[in-house]
Amino acid sequence: ATFKLRLSGLCFLLQILNILLFAVFVRYSPEGSPGQCPSQLNCSRRNPDSGFQQPHFQDVHVQVLLSFGLLVAFLSRYGLGSVAINILIIAFAIQWAVLLQGMFYFVLNGKIYVGAQSIVSADFCTAAVLISTGAVLGRVNPVQMLLLALLEVTVCTLNEYILLSLMGVSDRGRALTVHTFGAYFGLVVSRVLYQPHKDKRKREEQQDMGHQRDVFAVVGTIYLWIFWPSFTSSTSVHDNAENWAVLNTYFSLVASTVATFILCPVLYEESTPRMVQIQDATLAGMAVMGMAGEMLVTPFGALIAGFLVGLISPLGLQLITPVLHSRLKTQDTCGVHNIHGLPGILGALLGTLLTLLATADTYGDRLELVFPLVAQGSRTVADQALMQLSALPLTLLFAALGGCITGCVLKTKRLRCSPDEQSIENTVFCEVKLGNC
């Protein structure tokens, strides 16, 4: 009963806090808000409703709710219950992200003015939290997950504000602020929470995935193919900028999928890759286009990038993941390092390289959309490339510090279940109105 009351009480307190903060600070975005924008905010890039389209709004929500939900539904013991906890995290994180992002971006006369695009931006931050939970899934209880969301949204919003607004980094597909940040934040939390005797038992439980994992992977992969290009291009203001992001993402994901069929039969006994491996390749191919998607990758460049990351992801699972566990003591339940972390880093390096090619001759009018500071003459191409590159170690630093602090908070004795409450924790994860575990 104590554990149930903890979850119920924490949900009550956090929701009441959100309601009070919304009542005091949050208002709908007024018409013509860019003309009233304070000089210290770059409203031309962060206007809440600029370029907003209802299909994109829907696609991003489907992507966050269904695709990420299905990606964590494969564990035989925690699967269906983890989807329910995922929905709880999404419901809270969106509210908290709207508040925090509003404080940084949309504050006007002491009020936070939000529009539909504010929800889309909050979804991005929520996606980073869901990626992090994939690294600790099955090893933390719902109370700890909720607190993880509370702390991670805070650090994620700060990191995003520094990179996108203060530094002027171009990362609209969120290779750094979502994929890289979310993966390494979760891995650091996993390291801090490492408990050898428990992690060995959890691994044994998680090995029994069988047919259930592939079924969820089929549905999740289909949703990824349909909706992720809209997820990548949802922050593009103009249609012609959006088209590049969509096309490059598709080219990358098809190449990464083919690469999986090349490498997996060599690494595994099966002659045909399992659906979960195709799902991982799909995610990796999309993550690598997070920063470079709206840049001049060219179709063949997107194919090359997707093909390479499609090879690196399964190799990382075979070669790097065992080292991370044995040497660094991380337990990466969903393999976020190989399908989000490494592709995000490669995407940042690719984006930096492409920034050096950003000239008025190669980009034309698009230069103002992708690199407005370069088009205005206030920053050289080399300076912009340096900013793009420096954003990578800064993101890793924020992820490491935030993950360490969060892990220490979650490791406190009051948040861990006692042996008597362990069965209750498992029930929270497992018990769904479809039958017994």
Side-chain angles (χ1 to χ4, degrees):
T2 303
F3 177 79
K4 292 181 178 181
L5 289 177
R6 283 184 198 169
L7 179 60
S8 177
L10 182 61
C11 289
F12 177 79
L13 290 176
L14 292 178
Q15 188 58 47
I16 293 299
L17 175 64
N18 281 332
I19 290 173
L20 293 175
L21 291 175
F22 266 73
V24 175
F25 296 108
V26 178
R27 301 291 183 271
Y28 291 122
S29 177
E31 292 294 329
S33 58
Q36 308 171 25
C37 182
S39 58
Q40 66 268 27
L41 296 183
N42 187 354
C43 291
S44 63
R45 298 185 65 199
R46 298 292 304 193
N47 180 19
D49 288 309
S50 61
F52 168 71
Q53 296 180 9
Q54 183 67 16
H56 278 176
F57 184 73
Q58 295 173 343
D59 291 353
V60 170
H61 283 300
V62 170
Q63 181 68 36
V64 171
L65 280 166
L66 281 178
S67 298
F68 279 103
L70 291 169
L71 295 181
V72 299
F74 61 86
L75 297 182
S76 59
R77 184 171 183 177
Y78 300 100
L80 297 177
S82 66
V83 178
I85 301 303
N86 252 36
I87 294 175
L88 170 62
I89 292 173
I90 292 169
F92 166 72
I94 287 178
Q95 299 176 69
W96 190 236
V98 166
L99 283 167
L100 294 183
Q101 290 176 345
M103 291 178 184
F104 284 114
Y105 293 118
F106 307 132
V107 175
L108 184 62
N109 298 325
K111 301 298 180 184
I112 298 173
Y113 289 101
V114 298
Q117 192 66 33
S118 306
I119 306 297
V120 175
S121 298
D123 276 329
F124 277 111
C125 197
T126 303
V129 177
L130 297 179
I131 291 172
S132 297
T133 60
V136 296
L137 184 65
R139 302 169 59 241
V140 294
N141 58 53
V143 172
Q144 290 173 311
M145 279 196 174
L146 202 54
L147 290 174
L148 183 147
L150 173 71
L151 297 172
E152 183 171 0
V153 167
T154 305
V155 182
C156 179
T157 302
L158 177 61
N159 179 64
E160 179 189 275
Y161 177 71
I162 292 175
L163 263 59
L164 302 187
S165 288
L166 299 185
M167 296 175 60
V169 173
S170 178
D171 186 30
R172 289 183 177 165
R174 303 303 197 268
L176 283 176
T177 55
V178 170
H179 294 284
T180 304
F181 179 87
Y184 289 101
F185 188 100
L187 288 172
V188 173
V189 173
S190 176
R191 172 64 185 90
V192 176
L193 296 178
Y194 179 76
Q195 293 177 287
H197 60 288
K198 288 187 177 181
D199 284 345
K200 181 178 179 180
R201 177 169 55 85
K202 296 292 184 184
R203 289 198 306 272
E204 292 172 353
E205 293 170 356
Q206 292 165 7
Q207 287 175 353
D208 184 22
M209 299 173 186
H211 181 66
Q212 180 184 10
R213 182 176 188 181
D214 281 334
V215 170
F216 284 115
V218 170
V219 183
T221 303
I222 292 173
Y223 275 110
L224 287 172
W225 274 69
I226 295 174
F227 294 108
W228 195 283
S230 291
F231 187 85
T232 302
S233 63
S234 61
T235 56
S236 296
V237 176
H238 300 281
D239 290 340
N240 59 343
E242 166 196 324
N243 291 338
W244 273 13
V246 172
L247 294 174
N248 288 330
T249 301
Y250 264 114
F251 286 133
S252 178
L253 77 88
V254 296
S256 64
T257 302
V258 173
T260 302
F261 281 84
I262 296 173
L263 193 57
C264 284
V266 177
L267 298 176
Y268 304 97
E269 296 180 359
E270 299 93 341
S271 58
T272 303
R274 297 178 63 179
M275 276 304 304
V276 68
Q277 295 159 355
I278 299 173
Q279 169 190 282
D280 292 348
T282 302
L283 277 168
M286 293 168 176
V288 78
M289 283 293 113
M291 179 181 288
E294 63 177 357
M295 300 180 187
L296 189 61
V297 184
T298 70
F300 80 90
L303 289 174
I304 293 174
F307 181 75
L308 291 177
V309 81
L311 297 175
I312 291 173
S313 180
L315 283 174
L317 181 63
Q318 287 291 311
L319 303 177
I320 300 178
T321 298
V323 175
L324 290 176
H325 178 69
S326 61
R327 300 291 177 86
L328 299 181
K329 309 303 181 184
T330 60
Q331 177 66 32
D332 189 0
T333 307
C334 296
V336 298
H337 179 260
N338 303 303
I339 61 180
H340 294 284
L342 279 180
I345 290 177
L346 294 174
L349 297 176
L350 176 61
T352 301
L353 177 62
L354 292 171
T355 303
L356 294 172
L357 306 177
T359 64
D361 294 334
T362 56
Y363 275 69
D365 295 337
R366 186 184 296 268
L367 187 64
E368 173 68 28
L369 306 177
V370 183
F371 302 110
L373 297 178
V374 175
Q376 295 164 10
S378 59
R379 181 179 290 179
T380 65
V381 171
D383 291 338
Q384 182 66 42
L386 181 61
M387 286 295 179
Q388 300 286 132
L389 182 60
S390 60
L392 175 57
L394 186 60
T395 296
L396 294 176
L397 177 62
F398 271 103
L401 292 177
C404 185
I405 294 172
T406 302
C408 292
V409 172
L410 302 186
K411 201 173 183 179
T412 55
K413 188 174 181 180
R414 291 182 61 85
L415 295 177
R416 295 200 302 262
C417 292
S418 65
D420 293 336
E421 292 174 324
Q422 186 67 40
S423 59
I424 299 178
E425 174 200 350
N426 294 339
T427 303
V428 173
F429 273 109
C430 299
E431 191 176 86
V432 178
K433 301 295 183 181
L434 299 176
N436 297 325
C437 293

